[in-house]
Amino acid sequence: MLFVALLLAACTLSAALCIEALGARLRIRRLGDAPIGHRPHWPRVSIVVPAHNEEAHLEPAVRSLMAQDYPDLEIVLVDDRSEDRTGAMVDELARRDPRIRALHVRDLPPGWMGKNHAMWLGARAATGEWLLFTDADVHMHPDTVRRAVDHALRHGLDHLTVAPLLTVRGLVLAAWVGLFTLLFIASERPHRVRDPRCSHGVGVGAFNLIRRAVYEAIGTHRAIALRPDDDRQLGRQVKRHGYAQELLVGGERIRVAWYQTLGEALRGIEKNTLAGMDYRWDIALVGLAAVALAMLLPWIALILGAGWIRWTAAAAIIAIAVGYLLANPPPLWRGLLVLPVGSVVLVYGLARALVITALRGGIYWGGRFFPLEQLRQNTTHNASL
């Protein structure tokens, strides 16, 4: 009886994932859907790019920013204590283009994570009416910034975040990323953030465009100085303070190779898994159990069960597969070929991240260790403004 109850619970969770993915597909707009409006004046935009040991990715990414057709653009490159050639590349890029400002961080002050501190410094040095926070490995189409600003102005937004096209190598990594995206949609509900009555807030590190006045009103990155999930928390701060927000799908206009290998992906989520639960172990364990139930139990029941149990398991698997297709663009669809393997790796990765965080008593990021006691002081609910 317990197995049957768990299987029915797995079916319910699978159906919920599929429904949320359908809502996202129907309600989230694309950045390139509407034509760019004619404007006699475009507000100044400052793009802030933090870079820590990014010599392999920085130059092509910045070239895509230099190619933007936006009429009033500033690019602030922040070399965050890099140990490779990133600092020299930042200076060279600044010499090539007068729109680029180069900043160098030599030391990290107490109470900060490196990336958050770099973005805060970049925003302080920026002169734009709008700030665009992006990463040093993001590639943008030449009209991306202009389209985003036009959309934000046309719809009266204070914060616009855009989900990039994720390029991955290998079937298992594609399945992992695709399932992770499905979980992101189900947990963050980005298709609901346009509704001012909805408390959900969202942010994506590849593209966070925010009015400078709003950025300062929500406390800047000081309010989330010790949050490894800085992009997500920036979006949550915007919604908590009652400002207008929307998420768009970028498609080909914003591309990023999120993780190059599966091992890199598993290491990458170590810093964010417990942070995504506001450092609450009860929520983290319940969430892990729910994911394992939805992703793994139907496959076990399909193999070991018979009769209606097998058909019920198949229905749950189909719901996950449909949700996967709805949540992801065609390049990631090939991950369906190894969906059961991707499901196992996803659950393993989440469990591994929680176990490692518990054993360490904190996380490593940017070459530094941050204990959980310190991180819990900077949760969404008690961030000092």
Side-chain angles (χ1 to χ4, degrees), residues 49-77:
V49 186
H52 175 74
N53 293 340
E54 292 284 358
E55 67 175 0
H57 309 109
L58 182 65
E59 183 163 352
V62 174
R63 283 185 179 276
S64 78
L65 301 181
M66 294 163 62
Q68 292 298 305
D69 62 10
Y70 195 80
D72 193 358
L73 190 68
E74 173 185 52
I75 303 170
V76 183
L77 303 182

Side-chain angles (χ1 to χ4, degrees), residues 9 58 97 132 175 188 267 272 308 334 341:
L58 182 65
D97 193 320
L132 170 57
E188 302 300 313
R267 291 188 296 272
N272 285 342
W308 71 269
R334 65 188 188 278
V341 177

